């Protein structure tokens, strides 16, 4: 079944993402410990803990502000009018990748079942616009 295969793939991706997130968490904690113990050789333990905390807080703030700034610029791009069908499909894939993939698979299935429909749609997309000409 198509649905069971897709579900297995999504579960595998979710498991891989959780393992990667867990490994990143362990790496960050180990880095924090290394920074703390390195600072403890130079300053008292309380100061080393405070400096480590401030260092990681600044890094978190920079990362958060970077992603917020990137999100605002993407929102400005999204406000632009999308005119063509191809641009609408592209925006659907960018905003909702799973829905876009399902729509593409459904469209492909319809086109495979009815080649005449596929030919008509392809002709409609490749036909040049004749709006600038005037008939007399």
């Amino acid at each position: 079944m198509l649905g069971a295969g897709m579900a297995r793939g999504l579960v595998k991706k979710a498991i891989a993402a959780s393992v990667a997130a867990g490994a990143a968490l362990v790496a960050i904690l180990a880095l924090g410990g290394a920074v703390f113990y390195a600072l403890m050789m130079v300053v008292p333990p309380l100061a080393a803990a405070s400096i480590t905390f401030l260092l990681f807080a600044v890094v978190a703030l920079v990362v958060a502000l970077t992603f917020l700034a990137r999100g605002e610029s993407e929102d400005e791009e999204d406000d632009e009018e999308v005119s063509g069908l191809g641009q609408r499909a592209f925006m659907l894939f960018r905003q909702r990748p799973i829905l876009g993939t399902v729509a593409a698979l459904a469209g492909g299935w319809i086109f495979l079942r009815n080649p005449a429909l596929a030919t008509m749609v392809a002709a409609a997309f490749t036909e040049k616009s004749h709006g600038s000409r005037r008939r007399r």
Side-chain angles (χ1 to χ4, degrees), residues 34-47:
V35 168
F36 171 72
Y37 285 114
L39 284 171
M40 227 170 67
M41 291 183 199
V42 180
V43 295
L46 186 58

Side-chain angles (χ1 to χ4, degrees), residues 26-130:
V26 170
I28 294 296
L29 290 174
L31 177 65
V35 168
F36 171 72
Y37 285 114
L39 284 171
M40 227 170 67
M41 291 183 199
V42 180
V43 295
L46 186 58
S50 299
I51 293 170
T52 304
F53 168 75
L54 287 175
L55 175 70
F56 278 83
V58 167
V59 168
L61 184 66
V62 167
V63 168
L65 290 177
T66 302
F67 279 109
L68 285 176
R70 185 178 298 159
E72 288 175 3
S73 67
E74 286 178 0
D75 288 343
E76 291 172 0
E77 290 175 5
D78 291 342
D79 291 340
E80 297 175 5
E81 287 256 344
V82 179
S83 59
L85 186 62
Q87 290 177 340
R88 287 182 185 166
F90 177 71
M91 291 303 292
L92 176 67
F93 275 104
R94 274 187 59 201
Q95 293 173 352
R96 298 183 179 153
I98 294 174
L99 180 63
T101 304
V102 170
L105 288 173
W109 177 255
I110 291 170
F111 290 151
L112 286 175
R113 301 290 291 166
N114 191 350
L117 179 62
T119 305
M120 289 187 317
V121 170
F125 280 118
T126 57
E127 184 177 308
K128 292 185 179 180
S129 176
H130 298 291

